[in-house]
Every structure is written in C-alpha cells, then in structure tokens.
Amino acid sequence: MSHFFCLRETAELAAFIAEAAPLPAESVSIAAALGRVLAEDNCAPLPCPADNRSTRDGYAVRAADVAVASPLKPAKLRLAGECRMGEACGGNLHAGEAWRVYTGGPLPNGADAVVMQEHTVQCCPQSDAQREDSLQTNTPPPFDEQTLVAVSRPCAAGQHVLARGADVPQGALLAKAGTKLGAHQLALLAQFFQHVPVHRQPVLGILATGDEFCAPLSATSLAARQTSTNALLLEALAATLGARCLHLGTVPDNIDALKRYLITALPDGPSPCDVIVVIGGSSGGKRDFTAQAIAGLPCCHIFGHDQRVSSGRPLTLARVGQTSIWGLPGHSLSLALAAQVFLAPLLRRLGGQQTAQQFTGSQPTVLARLGLALPVEGTAPTHYPVMLRPENGRLTAWPVDAGTGKTAVLRDMHGWITMPGSAAANRGGLRRGAALRVRLFA
C-alpha cells in the first residue's frame, strides 16, 4: 500500500465516463451564454463589415482623383455628400467628388480610398465666425454642396478602407461545437446572433448522509458539530464546470430513507438529476448503506463498487436510465480528489465538452519538480494529490501523506499528478527531482 494518498484508476471508471453522452441542445440568448458550450458550429451568416467602411475621419474619394495631389498643388474635389454614422449610405461618388465620412462609418458606392481629414482643407462660402470656429476646433465647416475639398496628399486605392467581408467573410467559422463560450467568443457571436444553441447544463444532485449531520444545532455547539463541508465542495466544483447544483437533502444512516431520497432524483422523480452524488456511507461498516441503497434502485445498473480511492475508502458507480449515480466517500480528501479527477470530466462531457478542442477547455497545468521519489503502484494509472511549494526558485510538488485525516490539508492541496503505471515507460517510478506536469484543481 502506498505511503502517500492516491486514487487508482480502473477500466470501469474510464468506461463509465467515456459512455456519457452530451445533453440535448437548447437556444439561449447571448447575454445568458457565458460559460455554456456550443452544441453546433457557428458560421457567419453575413460578411463583416456588411459594406465598405472607413477607418479614419476624412473624405471618401477615388484614388485616381488625388494621385498627384501635393501641398503646392492640391487636388480640389466637390463635396457631394456625407455618410452619417448609424445610417445606410446608398449614394454614388463620381469623378471629381468627395464625401465626408467618419471612422467606422460606411462609404458611398464608387469610393475606393479615404483621405484623412488632416490632409484636407475645405474651401466654401462662410462667415468669419464659422471660419474661426473651424480653425480652432479642427473640424470641417457645416456641409454645403458648393464646398470644395482641397486634398494635399495622394491616397492609394484601399487606403484607410475596411472592405466588405475583410474582417469576417460570409460563411467563416466563428466558433466550433464543443467550445466553452468566454467573453471573447460572446463578443464575436453577438455581431451576428441574438441567440445561440448550447448544450443543456448538467444538473448535479447532492445527497449527504450521516447521523452526525442530522443532529439539532444549539447556540453553543457550532464549533463541535460536524458540518457537511463536502456538499459545499461539490457545489463549488459544479459551479466552476458550468453545472447546476441541486441539494437533495441530508439523510441519517438509514437505508430506507436513503432510497426514498434517491428515488426523487431519478428520471421519473419530482427532482430529476443528470448526476447524483451520495456523500458518505460507502465503507464497509455496519451503518454504511450507500452501495446497498443504490443497488436497490429500480432498473439500476452497477458499474463498479469498491473502486479504491485510497485504502478503506471505496467508490460506487451506477446508472439508472441516463442518470449517473456516484457513491463517494465522506473523507474530505478522498472526495475532493475523486471529484476533480473523475466527476469533473463526466460533467464536462455531459455539458458538451467531449474533447479538449481548445486550450481554454483543458485542465490547466504547471511545471514542477517532484519533492521525493514515487514508486510504481500497480499496473493502472494512479493519481496523487500534491502540495506546491516554491523552493530554490522553482515549484516543488509534494505528495500528501496517506495517513492524514485532517480537512486543513485542503488548504494546501493545489492539484494532482498521475503515475501511468507499470505498463507505461516509467517502470521504475519517478525519481526525486523529476520534472512533471501538475494538473491544478478547478
């Protein structure tokens, strides 16, 4: 048995997670889609921009009309119109003309370049007050069709122009199915859509067990009373993974009461859940009924029991219809590690993250050095929770002592490492100082 706390993976666990299918799609508004997972590829239904746009304040022109313009001999064009912001510009620009345009605004038909306002001077009938105001504010005078625009620099075709579809062509892929939507993806999709198809959020039902959690609370007994911190841990984990959490209650150590609570969360029950987690009651004691209660559910298929999270802390896997049922140990460190290593991937798959299609959807890691040697623990992959410490200018990963029963270790447990097993290349285990990747807890 390992001297360090560990979780051993089994074929039943891997198959149980791999068989989970993504939940059906639903349409939600862009405003409500943060953290949700796209159910299908999203492509641009229209080009962006939808028409040619100016990237500067100035004048839309034909490049040929200003090809030889200079400060000594400016090209003089008739101001024929103005393209206002927020309005469609359906006008036509002809030879010898200029249209006033603004940054991000549309261009008239026939324009192929934009001259910056700084390289122009307007010549028009105006009062001394208007001329003085224009000079002080560096803004053009009021629009007048008799106005001439003197352009003092040449401008090449396409200069200061964002062509139609130059940002996003019509039909371009905006986001792939399986993408967990963040702020950047939402900003891009919002240019084209008000609603997007996303996978339904998994519903995680949490059922705590134990007589110690059902005792009445007096005004002076808070510090001495057992608190179901594990339920809070699972709720927080579910929130980080985009799942909805449903508290099913706290049940005393009674098999009939446990079955009644479980039935309410099955597909035909009043509070159906996609995943049910029963906390505690998973060991072999005379008051540990979790495995029996789960096995006694109608149409229940047991995938595995006594999957060793660590010595004396088994785990139960079952399914009723499409509802997954997990019996996790009440030991905080065991539950925390099992939830991160196995329950989190299941919730991701149900939510639509079947594969790591983008780096933001994968488990974040850091590079560290192993603080002490670890031998191979059997042929199956083994996961060790570790504490990270900065030592000599680098991070060192220290496995957690197997004998710990303290919840304070959760404060220092930053992630876990995986030993592939004796069938892999590292048959002799990992030496002290070996470089490895530590997967961080969500």
Side-chain angles (χ1 to χ4, degrees), residues 44-70:
L46 298 169
C48 179
D51 45 29
N52 294 339
R53 298 273 167 174
S54 173
T55 63
R56 296 289 190 275
D57 288 345
Y59 297 89
V61 299
R62 297 198 325 165
D65 290 339
V66 296
V68 295
S70 68

Side-chain angles (χ1 to χ4, degrees), residues 251 254-264 292-294 296-297:
V251 188
N254 182 289
I255 188 170
D256 294 327
L258 180 54
K259 287 177 64 175
R260 286 197 303 270
Y261 274 76
L262 283 170
I263 288 174
T264 65
Q292 299 176 52
I294 293 175
L297 295 174

